[in-house]
């Protein structure tokens, strides 16, 4: 997702209370204290290496709340694939939205790599990754390649019409909706909606749950 406002103060309003220690990995950086990391402190601008979050980049963020932290983001789904050259060495790739576990090749098409690690929040350690899990970021040791991750979902809306120009089907990221004339439709989850017309004007609708 590409946020409407990429400023950290907007995206992470609880930073400093529930959230702390926001880092981004940069293999070209050699800080004497942080190593290959840059930091956002949030208390004094002169100590901040960055103040916005970049789409397509991975970050480390510490949650101080033992019960966990909820982060709500608003933005737009990307419509064009990201293309990013990866230099030889380690990279922190961001979490992607998937409909379930995926093979590592799904995350890294066209990239030559030899090690992939993911963070285990239970053990609080990096562990060898054998698959890509939804909403998990990964450290990848790259030999060479250009990273073009899959889009989070198909953002195209497709329509199918009959011979008379009537719409019979609409397919979006949420699924397919079927239309039986103008008065009846079946949603992707099976819910049905019946419309009532007076002449050409629609005056009412009735939606019922999926059957079966």
């Amino acid at each position: 997702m590409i946020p409407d406002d990429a400023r950290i103060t907007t995206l992470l309003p609880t930073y400093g209370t529930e959230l702390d220690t926001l880092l981004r990995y940069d293999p070209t950086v050699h800080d004497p204290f942080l190593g290959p990391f840059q930091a956002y402190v949030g208390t004094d601008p002169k100590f901040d290496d960055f103040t916005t979050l970049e789409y397509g980049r991975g970050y480390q963020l510490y949650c101080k709340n033992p019960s966990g932290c909820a982060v709500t983001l608003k933005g737009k789904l990307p419509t064009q694939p990201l293309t990013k050259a990866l230099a030889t060495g380690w990279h922190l790739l961001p979490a992607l939205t998937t409909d379930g576990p995926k093979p590592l090749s799904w995350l890294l098409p066209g990239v030559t790599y030899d090690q992939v690690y993911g963070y285990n929040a239970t053990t609080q350690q990096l562990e060898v990754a054998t698959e890509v899990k939804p909403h998990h970021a990964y450290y990848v040791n790259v030999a060479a390649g250009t990273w073009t991750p899959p889009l989070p979902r198909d953002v195209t809306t497709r329509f199918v019409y009959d011979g008379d120009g009537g719409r019979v089907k609409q397919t979006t990221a949420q699924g397919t909706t079927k239309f039986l004339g103008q008065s009846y439709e079946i949603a992707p989850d099976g819910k049905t909606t019946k419309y009532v017309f007076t002449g050409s004007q629609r005056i009412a609708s009735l939606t019922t749950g999926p059957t079966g």
Side-chain angles (χ1 to χ4, degrees), residues 97-148:
T97 300
T98 74
D99 55 4
K102 300 285 187 181
L104 294 176
S105 58
W106 176 88
L107 175 66
L108 299 160
V111 176
T112 302
Y113 63 93
D114 60 4
Q115 297 179 75
V116 181
Y117 285 85
Y119 184 74
N120 186 322
T122 301
T123 63
Q124 298 187 6
Q125 292 181 341
L126 290 172
E127 299 178 351
V128 174
T130 57
E131 62 182 4
V132 177
K133 298 179 180 179
H135 314 300
H136 283 64
Y138 293 92
Y139 280 98
V140 181
N141 192 33
V142 173
T146 298
W147 186 50
T148 305

Side-chain angles (χ1 to χ4, degrees), residues 163-193:
D164 298 322
R167 184 173 60 176
V168 296
K169 187 184 296 185
Q170 172 183 300
T171 302
T172 68
Q174 286 70 44
T176 299
T177 300
K178 299 177 182 179
F179 302 91
L180 304 179
Q182 293 184 324
S183 60
Y184 194 79
E185 70 179 52
I186 305 172
D189 61 359
K191 291 181 180 178
T192 61
T193 302

Side-chain angles (χ1 to χ4, degrees), residues 30-114:
H30 303 284
D31 186 276
F33 300 103
L34 297 176
F37 287 95
Q38 294 178 309
Y40 170 78
V41 178
T43 56
D44 190 331
K46 68 182 180 183
F47 295 119
D48 295 330
D49 295 315
F50 57 95
T51 57
T52 60
L53 298 186
E54 178 185 341
Y55 172 68
R57 192 165 192 169
Y59 296 85
Q60 286 188 190
L61 180 62
Y62 179 70
C63 174
K64 297 193 294 184
N65 187 341
S67 300
C69 305
V71 178
T72 301
L73 304 177
K74 295 181 179 180
K76 301 178 180 65
L77 290 175
T79 58
Q80 298 295 326
L82 171 71
T83 300
K84 189 172 184 178
L86 299 180
T88 301
W90 287 97
H91 294 267
L92 176 56
L93 301 185
L96 298 178
T97 300
T98 74
D99 55 4
K102 300 285 187 181
L104 294 176
S105 58
W106 176 88
L107 175 66
L108 299 160
V111 176
T112 302
Y113 63 93
D114 60 4

Side-chain angles (χ1 to χ4, degrees), residues 20-36:
D20 198 6
T21 315
L22 177 59
L23 304 173
R24 69 182 184 189
Y25 186 86
D26 188 334
T28 66
V29 171
H30 303 284
D31 186 276
F33 300 103
L34 297 176

